[in-house]
Amino acid sequence: MIKVLAIDDEPLALQQLASYIGKMPYLELVKTCRSAADALRVMEEEVIDAIFVDINMPDLNGMEFVKSLRVPPLVVFTTAYSEYAVEGFRVDAVDYLLKPFGLQDFQHAAERVKERYEAKHRTWTEDRPASGDELMGPAAAELSAGETDEDALFLKTDYKTVRISMSDIRYVEAMSEYLKIYLEGQTKPLVVLLSMKKLEERLPSQVFMRIHRSYIINLTKIREVNKNRVIMDADTYLPVGDNYKDAFQSYLGSKFLGK
């Protein structure tokens, strides 16, 4: 059985989606979710093979949600807006359902999911290592002999636990009930269900500082400060909130050289 999630913020659309999934004998509906945050919670606890996800949702839309996943499951997008079709296939979506869609359209998309799932499963079986190496996650493969546990964080993301080095964190962005953690050398952030306060308490204050209700930065990664903005790189300009200006200016003053 292919384990799937149905994700849509509209109750009637979600009910219809769940009904269609129930009519496919090879699909198992694990749960219906009203938001990306709800889906992330489920994916932390369950292995999900495919998602049927609406693009137009509050906080984090379906497209950005899928892009944020380091190892996304098979994806079928649903939306009332046809202009998203091209972008959907750029993120390797299996199919795209334009609302309102009927059972026949859904069945066609579900068959494509089944074909992709079976092809993926065959490839994985053929390429599976003979030893227990498959149990090692990507974070474990990147460990270096010089790292210590004091520098390590273990975080749940994409329904698995990964190890990261705090020194690799560039900055953290709060998005509703979850965080985006941007790491050195990686284009996609880690998306985790965690409070800003809890992470802030864990990070060393001599290296990390909260500069806004939505941002924590690694002070060693700052490229430039321009008025009330911290420039981390050519494309990343982070605001300094009013409640955090004094502490940040005090830090700058302690490091400033010049007249």
Side-chain angles (χ1 to χ4, degrees), residues 109-222:
E111 288 288 347
R112 295 192 65 182
V113 168
K114 181 172 180 285
E115 291 171 4
R116 185 82 70 91
Y117 173 82
E118 290 174 346
K120 182 179 178 181
H121 183 72
R122 282 195 301 270
T123 301
W124 181 84
T125 302
E126 293 166 0
D127 295 342
R128 185 179 182 182
S131 68
D133 292 344
E134 70 272 16
L135 298 177
M136 298 292 286
E142 295 170 1
L143 296 183
S144 65
E147 285 185 314
T148 64
D149 285 342
E150 287 73 18
D151 187 49
L153 288 175
F154 286 88
L155 299 169
K156 283 188 175 182
T157 181
D158 291 359
Y159 46 88
K160 60 181 178 292
T161 301
V162 299
R163 182 189 192 278
I164 66 170
S165 296
M166 286 187 280
S167 57
D168 287 339
I169 298 174
R170 297 176 57 244
Y171 67 97
V172 180
E173 180 181 6
M175 297 285 289
S176 188
E177 300 176 38
Y178 48 89
L179 303 178
K180 289 183 176 182
I181 302 177
Y182 293 82
L183 300 172
E184 198 71 50
Q186 297 190 22
T187 56
K188 286 186 177 182
L190 291 179
V191 178
V192 298
L193 283 166
L194 187 66
S195 71
M196 200 71 152
K197 182 180 179 181
K198 189 170 182 179
L199 181 62
E200 186 178 12
E201 290 172 350
R202 181 66 177 83
L203 296 173
S205 59
Q206 66 271 26
V207 179
F208 292 89
M209 179 176 287
R210 191 165 183 174
I211 61 167
H212 188 276
R213 64 189 301 270
S214 298
Y215 294 103
I216 294 174
I217 63 170
N218 184 332
L219 296 167
T220 69
K221 308 293 185 183
I222 295 174

Side-chain angles (χ1 to χ4, degrees), residues 9-79:
D9 64 310
E10 299 177 4
L12 291 179
L14 191 59
Q15 183 179 352
Q16 181 192 52
L17 196 54
S19 174
Y20 286 168
I21 291 171
K23 296 179 186 298
M24 303 296 115
Y26 46 84
L27 297 183
E28 177 186 344
L29 179 61
V30 175
K31 195 168 183 181
T32 58
C33 302
R34 294 283 300 275
S35 69
D38 288 343
L40 276 173
R41 287 193 190 92
V42 178
M43 294 169 74
E44 296 287 0
E45 304 296 333
E46 302 274 355
V47 175
I48 301 300
D49 301 309
I51 58 175
F52 292 81
V53 55
D54 183 37
I55 292 179
N56 304 93
M57 295 190 297
D59 294 330
L60 187 68
N61 70 39
M63 191 72 67
E64 293 302 319
F65 169 60
V66 171
K67 288 179 180 179
S68 74
L69 299 175
R70 298 180 73 193
V71 186
L74 301 173
V75 178
V76 175
F77 285 116
T78 67
T79 184

